[in-house]
C-alpha cells in the first residue's frame, strides 16, 4: 500500500486499529501495545532511540486507570520500536506523533507451525489430523535433490516401526551413513546415470554429493513440508516466522529419491526413480519438477508417462504446476492422472517498508537479518541510469553506487544476486521493484544487503520520485513477522503457472492451489539460504517460494487421506481435494490474482484452495481408473502404438473400443467447455460415487451458470441407497441460445448438496474465436 504522507498513515492506523478497539471495550482498561517506529525520525537531541521512546511515552496524557507508563521492550533489529502498557485512549494519541508508524494491541497466541497448518485449519483435536492418525505408515516418495537427514524435522521420535511391507533401502556411503535413515526416513537413493551421461564424465564430487545427501536445499525443504516431524521453537535466522514447524503428515514416512543435480533433473533419472519408488512401496509421489516452457505432449512427457504407471499401481502423483506465470497456457504436469498444484499466499508477511525523502512510505517484504541501515536517509539511484536496470553482476558503476540505495528491476537474474551486485559496487541497500509481469506479488528473500521487494505500483512511484527529485533519498525499515488478515489471504502467486490447458482444453488445469509463498521448512547444511557461493550463512530452516513448495503441502494432505481411506484410488483422493476446495479469502471475498489484483479464475487456481478438513468428508467423489485414462487418450487421437507407451505393453487394435465421445467426457471433477464457431452446445457425462456416512443419501444440484450460457443437469436429483452407491448424470451447456449472447467469456459452477456436504465443480467456458474465461 502506497501512502502519500507519514501523517496520513498515522491517521489510517489510528482509525483502523485503535478506534475499533476502543469502541469494543467497556472501559479504558490498560493493555500492552506494540509501537512501530520510523528509525530515521529520531530527533538529534536524543542520545538513543530508547531515550526518544521514553520521551514519547511520557508525553502522553495521564490516565486514572494507569499509575505509570513503562516501556517493556525496545526493538532495534527485527523491528524498530517498543512495547508499552497503556490505556486505549493513550495509545490512540500515539498516532499523532511524528515517526510512529503503527500501534497494534498485543495478542496472546499459541505456538504456531511454519504457519501453513494453522492457515489450512489443521488441528490436533479435530479434523483430518486425528482422524487419519497423521498418516502413520503412509510412505511419501519425494523425488527431488535429496535430503539432509540430520535436520530435526526428520526425527523418528514416537514413530512406530518401519511398515512391514516396505521394500526400499538406504544407499549408504561416506557422505550418507546408515545412521542417516531411521523410522522417519525409511528409504534414500540417488539416480545420476542420466546426469553423468549428459556430462559425458563423472560428476564433480567436490561440488555435489553422489549420494542421497541434499547439497542444494530444495529436497530437504519439500520433504519436511510434506511429512516433517514436529519441531518446536524454530525460525529463520532467529528472527522470522518463529513457532513450531511440522509437515502436513507428521507420522508419514519419507523415502527420498535424489534425481536433480547441478545441471538439472534428467528424464532418465526421473523415470528410474519413479519406477523404483513404485517397487519400494510408496503410496504418494511428490514431484516438484517439470518441463521448461510449455508442457510436452503426454506421450513425450516422461513425468506423465511415469505417473500413468504409478496410477496403475494405485500410487498418487502430486506435481507442481510450474513457476512460469503469469502468462496463460504455462501450466505443466497437466496429464489428467496427475494432481497439479499451483501456489498461493498465506496470512503471514515479513514487512520491510521504504521511506522516501518526501515522507512517502511504500510497503515491501524482506528476510534481511543483518545490521540495519544507518539512522538517516541515504542517496537513492535507479540502476537503469547507472549501468543495468536488472543489476547484473559487474554491470553497475561503483562511482555512482557507492554509499547509496539502488533500485533494481525484477527479472533477468536471481533476486538475491541483484543485491550482491549492488553490494560489490559499494551500495548500502537495494529496493527490488516488480515489473508488470509480477504485479503486486511480493516474495521475501534473505538478502545479503539491506533490501526489500516492492510491488509494481510502488516501484513505479519510487522510480518517478528519483527522476523528478534533485536529491532523492530513502531508507528501509525491517519489521519482522506479521500475521493477520491484512492483506487478505490466500492470493494466487503471479509466478504460479496457469491454464488454459494447452494440450487438452477440455481438462481444467491446475487442479488446486496451496501455500507456496514464503514457506519455512528444513534446509541443507551445505549452502546458505540464498544458494549463492558468497553467502557464508548456514541455517536449519529456510523460507523460499514456488509451486515446489505448494506441491508437497498437497502431497502431505493426500497422504492423510490415503491413511483415512486406504481403499480409495488416486482419482478419488484428487476428487476429494478438488470438490471441497474453497474460493474465498479470509476477508470473505473471492480471492485474487497477485498479477493484476483482479479476481482469480479456475484457469489460474483450478478448483480452488485445498481445505484438508473438508476433504476428509467430501460426500461424493468422481472416481477414475486406468481404463478411463485410456479412453481419454483415444478421444484425443492417440492410436494403439501411442497408448502402448503408457500401458507398457503392445495395445490391441480394439484398445479404443471404449473411446470417449469427447475428452471432456472424462470423469473429471471440473468442467472446461469449448464452444467452436460451428458448435453452440456441449454435453458431458459424469459418474459420482457416494462415500459419505449415510448410504441413503439424496443430493440435489445447484447451478451457477455463466452469463449467456444455459446449463442443464439431468437428473437434477441423485438418490443413493445401500444397493446403489454410484449415480450418473448428464450436463449440457448451451451457448447464447435465446439468451441475447453478447459476451465472449463465461464463469460458473455446479454444486451437489445433501444438506451436509457441498460437492462443487467449477465451470470454465471458452469461445474459441474469442476470449477465454473461468470462475
Amino acid at each position: 500500500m502506497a501512502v502519500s504522507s507519514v501523517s496520513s498513515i498515522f491517521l489510517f492506523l489510528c482509525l483502523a486499529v485503535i478506534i475499533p478497539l476502543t469502541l469494543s471495550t467497556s472501559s479504558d482498561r490498560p493493555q500492552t501495545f506494540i509501537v512501530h517506529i520510523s528509525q530515521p525520525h529520531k530527533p538529534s537531541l536524543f542520545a538513543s532511540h530508547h531515550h526518544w521512546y521514553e520521551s514519547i511515552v511520557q508525553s502522553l496524557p495521564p490516565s486514572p486507570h494507569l499509575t505509570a507508563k513503562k516501556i517493556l521492550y525496545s526493538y532495534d533489529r527485527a523491528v524498530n520500536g517498543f512495547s508499552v502498557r497503556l490505556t486505549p485512549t493513550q495509545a490512540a494519541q500515539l498516532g499523532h506523533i511524528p515517526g510512529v508508524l503503527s500501534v497494534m494491541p498485543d495478542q496472546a497466541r499459541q505456538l504456531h507451525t511454519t504457519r501453513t497448518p494453522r492457515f489450512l485449519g489443521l488441528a490436533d483435536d479435530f479434523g483430518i489430523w486425528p482422524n487419519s492418525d497423521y498418516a502413520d505408515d503412509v510412505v511419501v516418495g519425494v523425488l527431488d535433490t535429496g535430503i539432509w537427514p540430520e535436520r530435526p524435522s526428520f526425527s523418528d521420535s514416537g514413530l512406530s516401526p518401519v511398515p512391514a511391507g516396505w521394500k526400499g533401502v538406504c544407499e549408504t556411503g561416506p557422505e550418507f551413513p546408515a545412521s542417516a535413515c531411521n523410522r522417519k526416513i525409511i528409504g534414500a537413493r540417488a539416480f545420476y546415470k542420466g546426469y553423468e551421461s549428459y556430462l559425458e564424465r563423472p560428476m564433480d564430487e567436490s561440488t555435489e554429493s553422489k549420494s542421497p545427501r541434499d547439497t542444494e536445499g530444495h529436497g530437504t525443504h519439500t520433504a519436511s513440508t510434506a511429512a516433517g516431524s514436529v519441531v518446536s521453537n524454530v525460525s529463520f535466522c532467529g528472527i522470522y516466522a518463529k513457532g513450531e514447524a511440522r509437515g502436513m503428515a507428521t507420522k508419514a514416512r519419507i523415502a527420498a529419491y535424489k534425481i536433480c543435480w547441478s545441471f538439472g533433473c534428467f528424464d532418465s533419472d526421473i523415470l528410474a526413480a519413479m519406477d523404483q519408488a513404485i517397487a519400494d512401496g510408496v503410496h504418494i509421489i511428490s514431484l516438484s519438477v517439470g518441463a521448461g516452457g510449455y508442457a510436452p505432449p503426454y506421450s513425450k512427457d516422461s513425468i506423465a508417462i511415469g505417473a500413468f504407471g504409478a496410477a496403475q499401481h494405485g500410487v498418487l502423483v502430486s506435481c507442481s504446476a510450474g513457476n512460469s506465470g503469469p502468462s496463460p497456457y504455462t501450466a505443466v504436469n497437466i496429464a489428467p492422472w496427475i494432481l497439479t498444484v499451483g501456489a498461493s499466499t498465506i496470512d503471514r508477511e515479513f514487512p520491510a517498508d521504504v521511506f522516501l525523502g518526501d515522507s512517502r512510505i511504500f510497503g515491501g517484504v524482506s528476510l534481511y537479518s543483518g545490521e540495519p541501515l544507518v539512522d538517516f536517509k541515504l542517496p537513492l539511484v535507479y540502476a537503469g541510469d547507472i549501468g543495468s536496470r536488472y543489476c547484473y553482476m559487474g554491470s553497475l558503476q561503483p562511482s555512482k553506487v557507492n554509499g547509496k540505495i539502488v533500485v533494481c528491476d525484477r527479472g533477468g537474474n536471481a533476486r538475491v544476486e541483484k543485491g550482491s551486485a549492488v553490494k560489490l559496487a559499494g551500495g548500502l541497500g537495494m529496493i527490488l521493484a516488480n515489473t508488470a509481469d509480477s504485479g503486486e506479488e511480493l516474495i521475501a528473500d534473505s538478502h545479503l544487503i539491506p533490501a526489500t521487494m516492492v510491488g509494481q505500483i510502488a516501484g513505479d512511484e519510487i522510480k518517478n520520485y528519483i527522476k523528478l527529485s534533485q536529491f532523492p533519498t530513502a531508507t528501509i525499515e525491517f519489521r519482522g513477522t506479521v500475521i493477520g488478515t491484512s492483506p487478505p489471504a490466500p492470493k494466487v502467486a503471479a509466478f504460479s503457472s496457469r491454464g488454459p490447458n494447452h494440450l487438452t482444453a477440455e481438462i481444467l488445469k491446475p487442479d488446486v492451489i496451496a501455500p507456496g509463498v514464503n514457506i519455512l521448512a528444513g534446509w541443507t547444511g551445505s549452502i546458505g539460504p540464498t544458494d549463492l557461493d558468497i553467502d557464508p550463512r548456514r541455517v536449519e530452516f529456510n523460507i523460499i517460494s514456488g509451486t515446489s513448495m505448494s506441491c508437497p503441502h498437497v502431497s502431505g494432505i493426500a497422504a492423510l487421506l490415503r491413511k483415512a481411506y486406504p481403499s480409495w484410488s488416486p482419482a478419488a483422493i484428487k476428487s476429494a481435494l478438488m470438490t471441497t476446495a474453497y474460493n474465498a479469502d479470509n476477508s470473505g471475498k473471492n480471492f485474487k490474482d497477485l498479477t493484476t489484483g483482479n479476481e482469480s479464475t479456475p484457469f489460474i487456481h483450478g478448483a480452488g484452495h485445498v481445505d484438508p478438513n473438508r476433504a476428509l468428508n467430501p460426500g461424493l467423489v468422481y472416481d477414475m481408473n486406468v481404463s478411463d485414462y485410456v479412453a481419454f487418450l483415444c478421444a484425443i487421437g492417440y492410436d494403439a502404438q501411442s497408448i502402448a507407451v503408457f500401458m507398457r505393453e503392445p495395445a490391441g487394435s480394439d484398445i479404443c473400443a471404449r473411446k470417449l465421445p469427447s475428452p471432456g467426457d472424462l470423469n473429471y471433477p471440473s468442467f472446461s467447455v469449448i464452444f467452436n464457431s460451428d458448435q453452440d452446445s456441449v454435453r458431458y457425462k459424469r459418474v459420482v460415487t457416494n462415500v459419505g456416512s449415510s448410504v441413503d443419501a439424496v443430493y440435489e444440484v445447484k447451478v451457477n451458470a455463466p452469463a449467456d450460457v444455459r446449463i442443464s443437469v439431468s437428473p437434477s436429483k441423485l438418490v443413493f441407497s445401500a444397493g446403489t452407491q454410484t449415480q450418473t448424470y448428464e450436463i449440457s451447456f448451451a451457448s447464447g441460445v435465446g439468451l441475447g449472447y453478447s459476451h465472449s467469456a463465461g464463469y460458473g459452477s455446479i454444486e451437489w448438496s445433501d444438506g451436509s456436504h457441498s460437492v462443487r465443480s467449477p465451470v470454465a467456458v471458452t469461445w474459441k474465436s474469442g476470449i477465454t474465461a473461468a470462475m
Side-chain angles (χ1 to χ4, degrees):
M1 174 184 177
V3 183
S4 59
S5 68
V6 174
S7 60
S8 65
I9 195 170
F10 298 158
L11 180 59
F12 172 81
L13 288 166
C14 288
L15 293 173
V17 178
I18 302 301
I19 291 180
L21 176 67
T22 304
L23 293 175
S24 65
T25 56
S26 57
S27 64
D28 203 25
R29 295 181 57 185
Q31 63 184 104
T32 300
F33 291 88
I34 300 170
V35 185
H36 293 275
I37 297 291
S38 168
Q39 189 182 52
H41 275 77
K42 181 181 73 69
S44 58
L45 60 93
F46 294 104
S48 69
H49 281 84
H50 184 78
H51 291 147
W52 178 35
Y53 302 157
E54 287 183 328
S55 173
I56 291 173
V57 170
Q58 295 306 317
S59 71
L60 296 173
S63 169
H65 304 288
L66 184 67
T67 56
K69 303 184 291 288
K70 184 177 180 182
I71 290 178
L72 305 178
Y73 297 101
S74 292
Y75 309 113
D76 60 4
R77 289 297 186 93
V79 297
N80 293 315
F82 58 93
S83 56
V84 61
R85 186 169 177 79
L86 299 171
T87 66
T89 299
Q90 290 172 323
Q93 298 295 315
L94 288 172
H96 304 291
I97 296 175
V100 174
L101 299 175
S102 66
V103 183
M104 298 186 295
D106 200 9
Q107 299 182 56
R109 301 184 183 275
Q110 302 299 316
L111 283 176
H112 286 214
T113 78
T114 56
R115 186 60 193 170
T116 50
R118 181 64 62 91
F119 182 71
L120 289 167
L122 294 166
D124 291 310
D125 55 355
F126 70 89
I128 196 170
W129 266 353
N131 284 284
S132 66
D133 194 18
Y134 304 88
D136 186 25
D137 286 354
V138 175
V139 183
V140 179
V142 181
L143 278 61
D144 214 296
T145 63
I147 197 165
W148 193 272
E150 292 80 13
R151 290 296 177 241
S153 294
F154 307 124
S155 167
D156 65 356
S157 176
L159 291 181
S160 59
V162 173
W166 176 244
K167 302 179 183 67
V169 301
C170 280
E171 295 178 351
T172 60
E175 295 185 328
F176 205 86
S179 59
C181 284
N182 54 19
R183 290 170 296 172
K184 168 60 75 173
I185 303 174
I186 63 172
R189 302 176 186 265
F191 297 85
Y192 50 81
K193 292 179 180 179
Y195 174 49
E196 289 192 334
S197 176
Y198 166 80
L199 293 176
E200 298 182 338
R201 58 173 173 78
M203 72 179 73
D204 182 356
E205 294 187 56
S206 68
T207 59
E208 48 189 336
S209 174
K210 191 184 288 189
S211 80
R213 182 168 293 279
D214 179 16
T215 57
E216 196 275 346
H218 192 276
T220 302
H221 200 281
T222 56
S224 57
T225 298
S229 300
V230 179
V231 187
S232 299
N233 300 318
V234 306
S235 66
F236 175 70
C237 290
I239 297 174
Y240 298 100
K242 293 181 179 180
E244 178 186 81
R246 61 194 303 172
M248 296 294 98
T250 54
K251 290 187 180 181
R253 315 310 170 98
I254 296 170
Y257 299 86
K258 187 174 180 178
I259 59 168
C260 295
W261 308 88
S262 294
F263 290 96
C265 320
F266 292 83
D267 279 353
S268 56
D269 295 331
I270 294 171
L271 282 174
M274 295 180 83
D275 194 67
Q276 187 64 60
I278 294 168
D280 288 345
V282 305
H283 303 104
I284 308 292
I285 289 177
S286 185
L287 185 57
S288 293
V289 172
Y294 293 115
Y298 307 126
S299 61
K300 299 184 184 301
D301 184 348
S302 292
I303 292 176
I305 295 167
F308 190 98
Q312 287 178 303
H313 290 86
V315 177
L316 182 144
V317 178
S318 168
C319 290
S320 50
N323 298 337
S324 298
S327 298
Y329 303 101
T330 50
V332 298
N333 298 321
I334 53 178
W337 48 87
I338 291 175
L339 177 51
T340 311
V341 187
S344 59
T345 64
I346 62 172
D347 59 347
R348 180 180 63 196
E349 295 282 325
F350 305 104
D353 300 334
V354 176
F355 292 78
L356 297 183
D358 63 2
S359 298
R360 285 185 294 167
I361 304 169
F362 295 97
V365 297
S366 179
L367 295 171
Y368 174 70
S369 58
E371 292 294 325
L373 289 169
V374 293
D375 289 352
F376 51 86
K377 292 185 175 69
L378 296 167
L380 182 66
V381 294
Y382 174 46
D385 299 330
I386 54 173
S388 167
R389 60 179 287 212
Y390 294 120
C391 295
Y392 292 115
M393 295 293 287
S395 68
L396 302 175
Q397 302 176 44
S399 62
K400 297 183 178 181
V401 172
N402 190 50
K404 300 174 183 178
I405 294 176
V406 180
V407 178
C408 303
D409 283 337
R410 183 174 174 181
N413 57 342
R415 297 184 301 271
V416 177
E417 185 179 280
K418 298 173 188 290
S420 298
V422 171
K423 184 176 182 179
L424 291 174
L428 297 182
M430 178 185 70
I431 298 169
L432 180 54
N434 276 352
T435 60
D437 284 344
S438 300
E440 299 309 302
E441 171 189 79
L442 299 182
I443 298 175
D445 290 307
S446 52
H447 296 281
L448 294 171
I449 187 173
T452 187
M453 172 185 279
V454 298
Q456 179 196 3
I457 296 172
D460 290 347
E461 289 285 338
I462 293 169
K463 285 181 280 189
N464 192 53
Y465 163 70
I466 294 172
K467 181 179 179 180
L468 298 178
S469 176
Q470 186 175 5
F471 300 107
T473 60
T475 191
I476 304 168
E477 179 194 350
F478 302 93
R479 298 200 286 120
T481 304
V482 174
I483 296 172
T485 57
S486 180
K491 290 185 174 72
V492 185
F495 63 73
S496 186
S497 292
R498 47 204 66 192
N501 183 328
H502 91 98
L503 293 178
T504 313
E506 295 87 349
I507 301 298
L508 186 63
K509 288 284 181 172
D511 293 313
V512 291
I513 58 171
V517 178
N518 299 333
I519 304 301
L520 179 74
W523 195 245
T524 177
S526 181
I527 58 169
T530 63
D531 201 16
L532 295 176
D533 292 338
I534 60 174
D535 187 354
R537 298 171 297 174
R538 296 296 181 265
V539 295
E540 287 196 347
F541 292 85
N542 196 12
I543 296 174
I544 56 177
S545 301
T547 56
S548 285
M549 284 61 257
S550 54
C551 168
H553 278 94
V554 175
S555 303
I557 297 167
L560 298 171
L561 290 173
R562 175 63 171 73
K563 176 67 175 183
Y565 305 106
S567 64
W568 278 15
S569 69
I573 293 173
K574 180 163 77 168
S575 174
L577 290 167
M578 291 175 65
T579 62
T580 58
Y582 61 87
N583 288 263
D585 61 29
N586 54 11
S587 73
K589 299 179 180 178
N590 289 341
F591 48 66
K592 297 183 177 180
D593 176 13
L594 275 170
T595 308
T596 62
N598 298 328
E599 285 189 10
S600 180
T601 78
F603 287 136
I604 299 172
H605 64 244
H609 194 284
V610 289
D611 187 331
N613 291 324
R614 285 194 64 212
L616 180 67
N617 188 18
L620 304 176
V621 295
Y622 294 80
D623 208 355
M624 291 176 280
N625 56 37
V626 169
S627 64
D628 295 308
Y629 299 135
V630 170
F632 162 80
L633 290 173
C634 293
I636 62 173
Y638 276 43
D639 58 17
Q641 184 176 352
S642 299
I643 293 171
V645 174
F646 299 90
M647 298 300 291
R648 295 175 292 119
E649 60 184 14
S653 58
D654 62 346
I655 188 70
C656 287
R658 291 185 59 248
K659 173 183 176 181
L660 295 173
S662 158
D665 280 297
L666 184 67
N667 203 39
Y668 219 68
S670 57
F671 297 94
S672 181
V673 181
I674 313 300
F675 291 125
N676 297 311
S677 57
D678 59 348
Q679 181 185 27
D680 59 9
S681 65
V682 173
R683 178 178 295 178
Y684 294 147
K685 185 175 77 172
R686 292 291 189 269
V687 179
V688 288
T689 301
N690 180 22
V691 295
S693 57
S694 174
V695 296
D696 299 317
V698 177
Y699 281 80
E700 296 188 21
V701 72
K702 176 184 177 183
V703 173
N704 174 26
D708 294 332
V709 175
R710 177 182 292 130
I711 297 179
S712 59
V713 180
S714 180
S716 59
K717 179 183 293 187
L718 301 176
V719 180
F720 297 90
S721 64
T724 306
Q725 288 299 289
T726 63
Q727 289 285 6
T728 300
Y729 70 88
E730 287 190 346
I731 180 167
S732 299
F733 306 89
S735 168
V737 180
L739 299 177
Y741 168 61
S742 60
H743 300 289
S744 58
Y747 315 95
S749 64
I750 72 161
E751 185 174 319
W752 292 96
S753 178
D754 65 347
S756 58
H757 302 93
S758 295
V759 187
R760 182 184 181 277
S761 295
V763 172
V765 176
T766 302
W767 278 266
K768 222 167 186 182
S769 59
I771 301 172
T772 302
M775 176 178 171

